[in-house]
Amino acid sequence: MHSQIKKIIILILFFVPFIIIGQTSIKGNITTLAGIPNFGLETNLGKKTTFQVDIMASFWTVNGIPYKFGVLIPEFRYYPRESGNGFFVGAHIGGGTFKLQKWNQKGNYEEGYTILFGATLGYQFLINDRLNLELFLGGGSQQANYKGYSLETGERTDGATNYNKSGEFLPYRGGIMLVYKLNSKKK
């Protein structure tokens, strides 16, 4: 799991040179305070468009039960008013890894990877020339490949030969981000 997180961090560092070019904001979700870090970078592409990449992770094991995941989501956003101000809609394709117990799988856990593609709706409230508050909710198709294991024995429990597969449409991101503009534009 940790090597996969390192790969995600390297991917984010790949995007940094492209992000620093325009007006750029760094973001932190209040879920970070609950022990689930979620940080993002958003940069302007035009007057009404931006590119954002965010990462969210959980490193928890509670009473021997894993609740671990890492998700990276690059997203194109459109603001009808102006970038970084007011309502926005975004389209994304992302991915992640997980090792966790689902609510209905007591005694077992699943480990694998997922591909996410969908949309985000949100609103950025201007606080001042450097700070915004962003509310957002996103979801779409989640396609996972995983293996199921017993918590007690570590043996496979899903009956699949290689990977088990599942796909759903569901909400998988949301929250409140505190947005700090690195190079704000004065009005």
Side-chain angles (χ1 to χ4, degrees), residues 56-68:
M56 179 174 54
S58 171
F59 307 100
W60 294 96
T61 299
V62 179
N63 296 327
I65 301 169
Y67 296 101
K68 300 178 179 186

Side-chain angles (χ1 to χ4, degrees), residues 75 90 92 118-122 136-140 170-175:
E75 180 171 70
H92 58 262
T120 304
L121 297 174
F136 69 101
L137 181 63
L170 30 98
Y172 47 73
R173 60 193 312 236

Side-chain angles (χ1 to χ4, degrees), residues 2 26 32 49 88 94 124 130 135 153 171 175 185:
H2 292 293
I26 57 173
T32 300
T49 58
F88 66 86
Q124 277 201 29
R130 289 271 185 192
L135 302 167
T153 66
K185 54 186 177 187

Side-chain angles (χ1 to χ4, degrees), residues 111-152:
E111 184 171 8
Y113 62 93
T114 186
I115 296 175
L116 311 161
F117 54 95
T120 304
L121 297 174
Y123 197 94
Q124 277 201 29
F125 298 91
L126 301 176
I127 297 173
N128 61 40
D129 69 325
R130 289 271 185 192
L131 289 175
N132 285 7
L133 193 62
E134 175 184 307
L135 302 167
F136 69 101
L137 181 63
S141 177
Q142 179 274 145
Q143 302 296 315
N145 290 297
Y146 63 92
K147 296 177 180 179
Y149 298 95
S150 165
L151 278 169
E152 189 175 318

Side-chain angles (χ1 to χ4, degrees), residues 21-144:
I21 295 169
Q23 179 180 336
T24 302
S25 301
I26 57 173
K27 304 174 175 194
N29 199 327
I30 63 168
T31 58
T32 300
L33 299 175
I36 302 173
N38 181 200
F39 297 100
L41 290 164
E42 183 175 15
T43 191
N44 285 12
L45 298 176
K47 290 184 178 193
K48 296 184 176 192
T49 58
T50 65
F51 175 76
Q52 174 171 299
V53 62
D54 68 63
I55 185 169
M56 179 174 54
S58 171
F59 307 100
W60 294 96
T61 299
V62 179
N63 296 327
I65 301 169
Y67 296 101
K68 300 178 179 186
F69 63 85
V71 178
L72 177 75
I73 299 180
E75 180 171 70
F76 175 81
R77 289 183 169 184
Y78 173 76
Y79 292 80
R81 185 182 295 167
E82 67 176 331
S83 60
N85 183 7
F87 174 78
F88 66 86
V89 62
H92 58 262
I93 298 175
T97 64
F98 59 90
K99 180 178 181 179
L100 51 85
Q101 181 183 69
K102 290 169 54 175
W103 66 272
N104 61 348
Q105 297 291 320
K106 303 292 185 221
N108 297 320
Y109 70 92
E110 296 173 351
E111 184 171 8
Y113 62 93
T114 186
I115 296 175
L116 311 161
F117 54 95
T120 304
L121 297 174
Y123 197 94
Q124 277 201 29
F125 298 91
L126 301 176
I127 297 173
N128 61 40
D129 69 325
R130 289 271 185 192
L131 289 175
N132 285 7
L133 193 62
E134 175 184 307
L135 302 167
F136 69 101
L137 181 63
S141 177
Q142 179 274 145
Q143 302 296 315

